[in-house]
Amino acid sequence: MVFGRKAEAEPPSFAPVHWDTVSKFTIGAASRPAAVRGAGPGPLAVRVEKRAGGATYLVPSVFVALTGSGEPAAASGFRLYEDEAGLRLLCSVTPDAEADKDGGRRHRVQDGRGREIGSVVRGPVAKRAVQHAWWLEQPDHPEVVARRHWAKGSAGQVLGRTVGKALGSVVGSVVGLGGDDSNTTRGTAKPVTWTSGEQVAMTSAPTEGRTWYLAQASWLDRRLAFALAVLREC
């Protein structure tokens, strides 16, 4: 029995959303797009949008288990599970300490049997002048990167080119601050598009206080997309 307020209706039951069918998703614990009175948070998960009874719900597809105690996901790694009980391991994401260089780091992504799927890379500081901090490496495909709109050529060419004070100050601030575009909590996040060769592979955009990801390339391994999103958001 609930005293002092009207009891919140039980959320509807949705069929499980299999991870390899997911295209649009977000990361979080909220079961609704906006705060609902009396509705508590759920498990941290890769969530997809579903509608029922005129309401929108954020339904878990893959569950996130952070392995560190209060540390960011990038520091200690994490695991993704197909079930909330943590019995069906989808993949593990582990920082590779040996690959650390100039502020960059590689995170190895392995499936439930320990086989390599690919990597999520946080680029070194200098490289963030020409592309966003995080990108993907998937075997048999060009790197999945998000180049900055002003960047043409290498990092050295961008920094050495005479482009005026305005653009120079922007590039300088990117390098000086590390160019990490992962902070989505201060209202500064902007749409980001990752491409592989000439093909758009994935896009992220802030909408109503949360970041949504859209995996667009059919060949893009969704586990890598999930891993990149968790590293940026958690």
Side-chain angles (χ1 to χ4, degrees):
M1 181 177 293
V2 179
F3 297 94
R5 60 175 174 81
K6 183 179 179 180
E8 193 70 35
E10 286 293 322
S13 177
F14 294 96
V17 181
H18 198 268
W19 64 271
D20 65 0
T21 66
V22 171
S23 54
K24 179 184 176 183
F25 65 93
T26 188
I27 307 295
S31 59
R32 299 290 298 275
V36 177
R37 185 180 179 184
L44 182 62
V46 175
R47 293 176 177 268
V48 299
E49 193 174 71
K50 294 288 185 180
R51 291 187 62 82
T56 301
Y57 296 87
L58 302 178
V59 180
S61 173
V62 174
F63 297 87
V64 182
L66 302 178
T67 55
S69 178
E71 293 181 315
S76 55
F78 56 94
R79 297 184 181 92
L80 299 180
Y81 289 94
E82 295 187 66
D83 63 314
E84 188 174 356
L87 301 177
R88 300 195 304 276
L89 177 63
L90 178 63
C91 65
S92 59
V93 182
T94 309
D96 186 351
E98 296 182 359
D100 287 4
K101 185 178 180 181
D102 299 328
R105 171 173 286 189
R106 180 183 307 277
H107 293 76
R108 299 171 59 196
V109 184
Q110 298 174 302
D111 68 13
R113 296 183 180 181
R115 296 174 297 194
E116 293 284 337
I117 298 171
S119 298
V120 184
V121 183
R122 186 175 188 271
V125 172
K127 200 165 187 177
R128 295 174 213 164
V130 295
Q131 66 188 46
H132 286 275
W134 297 100
W135 77 86
L136 298 174
E137 293 179 346
Q138 182 174 328
D140 302 321
H141 293 280
E143 291 180 339
V144 181
V145 299
R147 291 179 63 84
R148 299 187 184 278
H149 68 278
W150 66 76
K152 293 183 179 179
S154 67
Q157 290 171 331
V158 170
L159 293 176
R161 190 182 299 132
T162 303
V163 291
K165 294 182 179 179
L167 183 55
S169 65
V170 172
V171 174
S173 67
V174 168
V175 176
L177 296 176
D180 191 345
D181 63 316
S182 62
N183 190 326
T184 59
T185 62
R186 300 178 185 176
T188 58
K190 297 180 180 180
V192 179
T193 299
W194 285 268
T195 62
S196 179
E198 299 297 321
Q199 183 180 10
V200 174
M202 183 170 69
T203 302
S204 74
T207 305
E208 297 182 351
R210 67 174 53 250
T211 302
W212 284 94
Y213 293 82
L214 181 63
Q216 292 154 278
S218 60
W219 53 260
L220 178 63
D221 194 306
R222 297 308 189 252
R223 294 167 293 188
L224 291 176
F226 299 157
L228 182 147
V230 172
L231 286 165
R232 292 185 79 213
E233 305 299 323
C234 302

